[in-house]
Amino acid sequence: MRFIINYFERKYKERAERDKVIRLISKWVKFQNEFPKDVKSLTKFSGVNENIYELILHNDDTTPIDYVMFVLEGCFEMEVDSASQKALTACNEGSCVIANKLDKNSAEYLAIYLKGHANSRGYPLIWEAKYT
């Protein structure tokens, strides 16, 4: 009897691990398809120091935290821990700096793009490009 229990426990663990890998791969593919590479490239520091802007996320009461984390993980390629920390900071304090050291064009384009992305899904998420 113990042999049968061990067999099914091992099969369940293998299936659970396989399902976890499938979920991670599908999440990665979803992120790769959701945000274009040109938008992702704007989130990186360009090395120009003359005009430095920050991209600020403002909290609202209707956008779910899952969507905010989805954007932070997908567009800004943040890890789950840092994305949840930024999302909670925006929720608790009202706003949070998501990216700094951006040039003016990149920051403004990202703010407009991400606001449109949220509005297309019915969320009134507000992004702001602010000169520092």
Side-chain angles (χ1 to χ4, degrees), residues 59-73:
N59 185 35
D60 61 70
D61 294 334
T62 58
T63 305
I65 198 165
D66 294 339
Y67 175 74
V68 175
M69 288 183 56
F70 170 76
V71 170
L72 295 178
E73 291 174 31

Side-chain angles (χ1 to χ4, degrees), residues 36-120:
K37 288 182 181 181
D38 61 335
V39 172
K40 286 183 183 181
S41 67
L42 295 176
T43 64
K44 308 296 184 230
F45 178 56
S46 64
V48 179
N49 291 330
E50 55 194 43
N51 292 328
I52 296 182
Y53 280 73
E54 295 176 336
L55 189 64
I56 300 173
L57 168 66
H58 293 281
N59 185 35
D60 61 70
D61 294 334
T62 58
T63 305
I65 198 165
D66 294 339
Y67 175 74
V68 175
M69 288 183 56
F70 170 76
V71 170
L72 295 178
E73 291 174 31
C75 187
F76 295 94
E77 298 176 345
M78 289 185 183
E79 297 293 325
V80 174
D81 295 336
S82 59
S84 63
Q85 182 70 27
K86 295 273 188 179
L88 288 175
T89 302
C91 183
N92 294 333
E93 297 178 11
S95 65
C96 179
V97 175
I98 301 300
N100 52 11
K101 298 182 181 177
L102 298 172
D103 60 47
K104 180 180 180 181
N105 292 336
S106 298
E108 289 177 349
Y109 181 80
L110 281 169
I112 292 169
Y113 178 84
L114 293 172
K115 184 177 180 182
H117 190 272
N119 288 341
S120 70

